[in-house]
Amino acid sequence: MRPGNLTLALVLGAGVLAISFGSVLVRLATGAAGFESPGLSLVISALRLTAASLLLLPAWRALQGARLGRGAWAYAVLAGVFLAVHFATWITSISFTSIAVSTTLVNTNPIWVALIAWLWLRQRPSGLTLAGIAVAFAGGVVIALGDSSNPGSNPTLGNLLALLGALAASCYFLLGREAQHRGFGIGLYAAVAYSTAAVVLLTLPPLFQTGLTGYPPMFYVWVLLMALIPQLVGHTSFNWAVRWISPVIVTLVILLEPIGASLLAFALFGELPGPQVLAGAVVMLAGVVLAVLGNRS
């Protein structure tokens, strides 16, 4: 039975708050490690998914009574592969292009979700929803342009990787939705997808000559919190919600992450968002409201 709108709103709100902790925890983890590199970013991603998978081991008990439809396993495993691709490409992109551009491009996933859902699921978005996507994306650009970081060592490669990260995230959510429609409960689905992503990501740090061990204890504490909060609470909330409402709306709600992250950075580090960030946040919120209204109509 479909949950009520209030329940969906509360779950999505909890999800946004949870993923907003992601960038804060990454900063704390890299600070504990004492250095920053693409290899370390991949280590953080791999350990985050590994820890989340281990915490979800009890969820595998649901496999005994699960009644899975044809193709359910394939969709769940593919979702995990695309989740790994999302982390690997997006995190690596930051090493080659600016944070502003990378963040803007990786947040284009509502556009990709709308297009894929239109072509694959025949779910044509309304004109108001498309307008909301455009307005929300414009707000994201305004926020990102507030970052004055340098253009990076290889902007073309970095931009391409960020776009691939957005496309991979879009496929991850749509495949996860289909896996749940074919019989997976949210706990078992998350266990399969996160475990698959962990296996893929664990193979990547050695390519950058970066090990998984030998870091200070606090590094692993922050990574464990990443597994608990942004991954288990954040991602799992969105994976649950995408089963019941339009994936376009879910990915648009995820665009609110920079707003939540900015508020947390202010609360924890005293970093006050600039007027451009605040203006972009207002525009983004207006776009999300338009898209939600368009989806309801």
Side-chain angles (χ1 to χ4, degrees):
M1 185 174 65
R2 185 186 186 277
N5 290 335
L6 178 59
T7 300
L8 286 165
L10 289 173
V11 171
L12 287 172
V16 170
L17 178 60
I19 64 170
S20 297
F21 277 94
S23 57
V24 172
L25 291 170
V26 167
R27 174 183 292 187
L28 292 170
T30 53
F35 70 99
E36 188 173 1
S37 71
L40 180 65
S41 297
L42 290 172
V43 167
I44 291 172
S45 297
L47 293 179
R48 164 180 168 167
L49 268 298
T50 300
S53 301
L54 293 174
L55 291 169
L56 282 172
L57 282 176
W60 287 92
R61 289 199 297 262
L63 187 60
Q64 294 179 350
R67 302 179 63 179
L68 303 178
R70 183 178 180 182
W73 274 100
Y75 281 111
V77 171
L78 275 175
V81 171
F82 276 106
L83 176 60
V85 172
H86 162 69
F87 275 120
T89 53
W90 173 51
I91 289 175
T92 306
S93 76
I94 297 174
S95 300
F96 298 105
T97 191
S98 71
I99 293 176
V101 174
S102 175
T103 303
T104 301
L105 293 177
V106 82
N107 278 331
T108 59
N109 50 35
I111 299 172
W112 301 114
V113 166
L115 290 174
I116 296 170
W118 191 351
L119 296 173
W120 177 31
L121 304 175
R122 306 299 179 189
Q123 297 178 354
R124 182 175 182 176
S126 68
L128 192 56
T129 296
L130 291 174
I133 292 172
V135 172
F137 180 64
V141 172
V142 171
I143 291 175
L145 290 179
D147 183 349
S148 59
S149 53
N150 61 57
S153 60
N154 192 337
T156 301
L157 175 59
N159 297 346
L160 178 60
L161 288 171
L163 278 174
L164 288 174
L167 183 58
S170 304
C171 293
Y172 156 61
F173 280 115
L174 289 171
L175 289 165
R177 172 187 173 98
E178 194 64 25
Q180 292 180 78
H181 282 171
R182 292 173 185 249
F184 269 103
I186 183 58
L188 182 58
Y189 163 71
V192 173
Y194 299 171
S195 297
T196 302
V199 170
V200 175
L201 286 167
L202 284 170
T203 66
L204 299 180
L207 300 178
F208 290 83
Q209 288 78 50
T210 308
L212 298 171
T213 59
Y215 302 99
M218 281 308 301
F219 171 82
Y220 297 101
V221 171
W222 299 128
V223 171
L224 178 60
L225 287 175
M226 281 183 226
L228 286 169
I229 303 174
Q231 194 63 44
L232 289 184
V233 177
H235 274 252
T236 307
S237 296
F238 297 130
N239 282 317
W240 175 82
V242 82
R243 178 178 182 179
W244 304 108
I245 59 177
S246 167
V248 175
I249 299 302
V250 174
T251 51
L252 274 168
V253 170
I254 295 173
L255 283 178
L256 301 177
E257 177 191 356
I259 301 174
S262 297
L263 293 174
L264 287 172
F266 172 65
L268 298 175
F269 305 121
E271 295 182 1
L272 183 65
Q276 187 169 338
V277 172
L278 296 176
V282 172
V283 174
M284 185 180 290
L285 285 169
V288 172
V289 170
L290 282 175
V292 170
L293 291 174
N295 186 68
R296 289 181 62 185
S297 65

